[in-house]
Amino acid sequence: MDAITFTVLSVLMVASAIRVVLNRSPVYSALSLVMLMSLLAVYFLYLDAHMVGVLQIIVYAGAVMVLFLFVIMLLNLQDSIQDYRQEKLWTMGILCATLFGELWFFFGRAGGESSAQHAVPEGFGTVISLSQKLFTDYLLPFEITSLLLLVAVVGAVVLAKR
Amino acid sequence: MILPEVNWAAVMPSVILTVVGITVLCWELWMKEQDRKYLAWLSLAGVAGAALFSYTLWGRNESAFNGMLALDAYALFFNLIICLATGMTVLMSRHYVENNELPAGEYYALLLFAAVGMMLMAAATDLIVIFLGLETMSMAVYVLTGIRRQNVKANEAALKYFLLGAFASGFFLYGVALVYGVTGSVKLGEVATYISTHFSDGAGSPMLLAGMVLLIVGFGFKVAAAPFHAWAPDVYEGAPTTITAFMAVGVKAAAFASFVRVFLLSFGALHGQWEAILWALAVLTMIVGNLTALVQDNIKRMLAYSSIAHAGYLLVAMVAGGELGGAALMYYLVAYGLMNLGAFAIVVAVGKKGEPNEEFNDYAGLGFRYPGLAMMMTIFMLSLTGIPPLVGFTGKFYVFSAAVKAGYIWLAVIGVLNSVVSAYYYIRVVVTMYMQEGEKQVEPLSTRPALATAIVAATVGTIMVGVLPAKPMALARHSFASLQKPAQTASSTPKKDQAATSTPTATAPSKTPHH
């Protein structure tokens, strides 16, 4: 990824992330979040992770966002907009800055050895190579995930039925 | 076509339980209301099958699924503990589910799925598989905690457990990500190789240490070690008593299995970094658990704090490390499992429909009206205190002597002092039963044969394993030695061996498992 694309993408992403937090209306926040997810998908595409990029759009920008919008529309959020106070953002901002400082502390020091660029093998990130990995090397996690989803479905039904 | 490498033997116990779980789930749809009891017997048969299969696999030491799962005596030993916990829980649940009108099919199916998650956790040698096993187990247990949907306490417990558990999973996953970021692998063997080559001085890098600490937080939450224990009392109190027993024994055993495997295998070379943290955690857990248990009036809450205290003793064994500490930890888990399952089974027996009878006062006078029940409760309480010749004493003896031999004298002293404190609240149950007047009636055990079987089995186990500790301890030693010996896998290198045995107190495995 060249420097210009990276900069443009990152600035857009950070801007839309800030929009999510600062918007007074939850619907606008949700739309900014869609923007953020889509830009993240572009990141993945640039990193040769095509499959993950497409999944990012389908799952996050698609399914998860629709759920968010449903919840926003089902709950009447007028009151919470009134309560929205700017001061809280300062506390959050300071917390975030601390977190970033910590990240910089850990990653900035350890960065040297692991940031070396590796050439990507042929066909990396495509559906074929991903599924081959998934059904050979990662067969066991794949199958456990299916059991995990079954447990989640059974659990949701047990707790919510009637 | 590329075909995956599948080692059926390594996952067979889990597969048996999964298949039985799905069968239970589907069968319930067709069965009549009065046939529900067969679900319990089917689940029990599945657990017995998984235990038998694990037993027949004994002695094998190999790596399966591209180095993601180990088939070693260590994993099999934990499989047996998990089968014990699940089987006993099924026996306790047989009438409990009926009396409380719980959805039987989903109840037993989730119980079995949780056991599958535990087994995978105990056998996993890959951080991703550990995480998936952890989530499968937790997800099922969250739901089981809240399965009494009409009960406010159960709702609160389930929600609390779910939110805090999800938070802890986040910590765990972040830790995995950082470890992967530094070492470039999530396989425990490869992580160990990287650490022993790049950080041979045992110092580590800030990022790696941050990852390690986050993993400690994740595991600490699951084993309910202070200061990550705050969820335990509310959840243990709100969950159905059978599930509380299952959580206290099964979840703790599986989490410790994985905890020990990750830290002794992968972070063995960083022993100097994590032993101080775990030392502090062990002391804090023992003290907080025991002191708070003193002031409880609800017997389930008291047992919850007692289980926190026992997590502290288990951490002592882990800090001691080496062959002795590891074997002591495994023996203690068996001991803790037997006596705790027994104690919770009695709590189930005393409870009635719509009348949980969980306060200390409800136990008053039980000793005169139900001498058998009270005697067995006394045995469990004395064992939990650590009175010889019961299993709790032998377990504590092994744990503290391992700590002393490894040079952690103060840790052993604090542990023994804590045991003395714990006597107060355990003996209090006995005193209430025999020295106070009470009117509470208990449904006779003869109408609940499954529960009676569980209680008697736990009693016999508590006495027998305590009186004759040599054989179980030898098994634990053998199992722990199989952990330190690297499994045969294409990707394993001699470095892994070095990492595992470079812990200061570790000794080379004395006997080779027969292949």
Side-chain angles (χ1 to χ4, degrees):
Chain A
M1 200 187 303
D2 56 293
I4 301 172
T5 337
F6 178 78
T7 319
V8 172
L9 265 181
S10 307
V11 167
L12 279 175
M13 264 179 77
V14 173
S16 49
I18 291 174
R19 292 285 294 165
V20 176
V21 186
L22 289 184
N23 254 316
R24 271 165 189 276
S25 160
V27 178
Y28 284 147
S29 287
L31 288 177
S32 305
L33 196 57
V34 174
M35 173 108 167
L36 179 64
M37 299 293 187
S38 314
L39 287 168
L40 198 60
V42 179
Y43 252 152
F44 282 124
L45 292 181
Y46 260 102
L47 288 170
D48 281 310
H50 304 154
M51 181 71 188
V52 182
V54 173
L55 285 182
Q56 174 78 22
I57 295 208
I58 297 175
V59 175
Y60 286 95
V64 173
M65 282 317 302
V66 170
L67 265 183
F68 271 2
L69 287 175
F70 263 129
V71 172
I72 289 169
M73 286 170 184
L74 281 176
L75 305 171
N76 197 353
L77 291 175
Q78 292 305 317
D79 300 340
S80 55
I81 294 174
Q82 307 262 308
D83 288 347
Y84 191 85
R85 289 219 306 275
Q86 217 74 18
E87 306 93 81
K88 272 187 193 162
L89 285 176
W90 280 107
T91 346
M92 289 303 174
I94 291 167
L95 276 177
C96 286
T98 326
L99 211 85
F100 267 113
E102 281 170 21
L103 284 180
W104 179 80
F105 177 76
F106 289 129
F107 289 87
R109 284 184 172 195
E113 48 191 325
S114 52
S115 67
Q117 295 233 337
H118 297 288
V120 182
E122 188 72 27
F124 176 85
T126 57
V127 181
I128 295 176
S129 66
L130 196 79
S131 48
Q132 260 173 6
K133 278 268 175 216
L134 211 53
F135 286 102
T136 53
D137 292 357
Y138 293 90
L139 181 70
L140 183 69
F142 183 72
E143 293 298 338
I144 303 175
T145 312
S146 66
L147 179 66
L148 176 56
L149 290 177
L150 176 69
V151 171
V153 169
V154 172
V157 171
V158 166
L159 293 183
K161 77 179 169 192
R162 262 166 293 177
Chain B
M1 204 165 95
I2 316 161
L3 284 176
E5 166 223 341
V6 176
N7 185 341
W8 282 104
V11 284
M12 208 54 200
S14 316
V15 170
I16 293 175
L17 287 185
T18 312
V19 170
V20 173
I22 294 174
T23 316
V24 164
L25 205 56
C26 298
W27 192 21
E28 198 227 7
L29 295 174
W30 280 282
M31 72 182 5
K32 295 191 202 83
E33 193 76 36
Q34 68 269 26
D35 289 343
R36 293 277 160 82
K37 56 175 183 276
Y38 295 120
L39 292 175
W41 303 132
L42 177 62
S43 311
L44 196 63
V47 173
L52 269 181
F53 205 93
S54 302
Y55 185 74
T56 56
L57 289 174
W58 196 266
R60 285 173 73 162
N61 192 5
E62 48 200 75
S63 167
F65 289 98
N66 196 26
M68 288 185 178
L69 217 55
L71 171 57
D72 50 12
Y74 181 78
L76 294 175
F77 190 92
F78 276 101
N79 274 4
L80 293 179
I81 297 184
I82 292 161
C83 285
L84 171 79
T86 319
M88 295 282 268
T89 310
V90 170
L91 282 176
M92 283 184 229
S93 309
R94 161 71 185 86
H95 290 271
Y96 187 88
V97 167
E98 222 162 71
N99 292 344
N100 290 279
E101 287 159 4
L102 302 179
E106 288 89 344
Y107 178 93
Y108 290 115
L110 286 171
L111 203 62
L112 296 176
F113 293 151
V116 174
M118 290 170 187
M119 286 186 175
L120 289 170
M121 257 182 105
T125 49
D126 180 297
L127 289 167
I128 299 274
V129 179
I130 293 179
F131 177 71
L132 285 172
L134 182 85
E135 281 301 284
T136 310
M137 167 186 90
S138 309
M139 206 66 90
V141 176
Y142 298 150
V143 177
L144 286 171
T145 304
I147 206 160
R148 293 185 298 169
R149 288 186 308 144
Q150 317 299 336
N151 186 312
V152 182
K153 263 188 187 171
N155 294 348
E156 183 199 338
L159 198 63
K160 235 178 215 173
Y161 195 21
F162 173 66
L163 290 178
L164 290 175
F167 203 51
S169 295
F171 274 100
F172 183 86
L173 206 54
Y174 200 1
V176 172
L178 290 183
V179 170
Y180 177 71
V182 176
T183 61
S185 176
V186 282
K187 295 214 166 72
L188 298 186
E190 286 170 22
V191 170
T193 313
Y194 185 93
I195 291 176
S196 57
T197 40
H198 289 73
F199 305 110
S200 47
D201 54 345
S205 71
M207 197 157 119
L208 183 64
L209 293 181
M212 197 180 79
V213 169
L214 289 173
L215 288 181
I216 292 181
V217 174
F219 280 124
F221 178 86
K222 286 296 161 199
V223 303
F228 317 111
H229 68 288
W231 58 277
D234 288 338
V235 173
Y236 280 26
E237 190 190 349
T241 313
T242 49
I243 297 305
T244 311
F246 184 62
M247 265 194 284
V249 177
V251 173
K252 203 161 286 204
F256 260 108
S258 195
F259 201 176
V260 168
R261 202 190 271 275
V262 170
F263 277 78
L264 292 190
L265 207 66
S266 282
F267 298 125
L270 299 177
H271 190 267
Q273 304 283 342
W274 53 259
E275 68 175 15
I277 302 177
L278 288 192
W279 192 95
L281 276 189
V283 170
L284 197 63
T285 309
M286 285 188 292
I287 292 177
V288 167
N290 279 314
L291 289 188
T292 335
L294 290 177
V295 294
Q296 301 305 318
D297 285 323
N298 180 304
I299 204 139
K300 266 164 95 179
R301 282 186 87 84
M302 183 277 274
L303 285 173
Y305 281 107
S306 121
S307 94
I308 293 171
H310 285 276
Y313 305 137
L314 288 160
L315 282 171
V316 169
M318 198 174 153
V319 172
E323 205 186 338
L324 267 182
L329 184 137
M330 295 170 78
Y331 181 88
Y332 199 85
L333 271 171
V334 176
Y336 167 79
L338 284 169
M339 55 203 187
N340 230 26
L341 284 168
F344 276 113
I346 304 264
V347 178
V348 173
V350 173
K352 265 191 285 194
K353 189 188 172 184
E355 202 185 329
N357 289 343
E358 286 162 5
E359 303 296 317
F360 268 96
N361 295 338
D362 298 330
Y363 284 72
L366 227 55
F368 305 111
R369 276 168 290 125
Y370 307 99
L373 200 68
M375 190 197 73
M376 286 189 277
M377 186 63 160
T378 309
I379 289 175
F380 297 135
M381 287 301 130
L382 293 181
S383 178
L384 281 164
T385 319
I387 307 278
L390 301 166
V391 73
F393 166 76
T394 334
K396 274 183 185 154
F397 174 77
Y398 283 134
V399 167
F400 295 141
S401 61
V404 168
K405 283 205 183 107
Y408 298 97
I409 311 251
W410 275 109
L411 202 54
V413 170
I414 296 171
V416 172
L417 285 178
N418 267 292
S419 300
V420 175
V421 172
S422 77
Y424 173 81
Y425 57 85
Y426 291 130
I427 304 295
R428 191 178 150 205
V429 178
V430 181
V431 170
T432 316
M433 284 193 304
Y434 285 104
M435 303 195 181
Q436 287 181 18
E437 299 287 327
E439 301 294 311
K440 277 276 185 292
Q441 293 296 318
V442 175
E443 205 184 315
L445 271 179
S446 52
T447 61
R448 292 177 288 180
L451 181 60
T453 315
I455 297 176
V456 171
T459 316
V460 171
T462 304
I463 298 171
M464 290 304 283
V465 181
V467 175
L468 309 166
K471 189 122 200 293
M473 190 59 187
L475 275 182
R477 267 175 191 248
H478 170 77
S479 308
F480 189 72
S482 83
L483 172 70
Q484 297 201 320
K485 212 174 110 71
Q488 300 150 341
T489 158
S491 60
S492 81
T493 53
K495 285 278 159 43
K496 197 161 134 191
D497 194 21
Q498 183 188 328
T501 48
S502 68
T503 55
T505 49
T507 47
S510 51
K511 57 179 172 181
T512 338
H514 43 90
H515 296 284

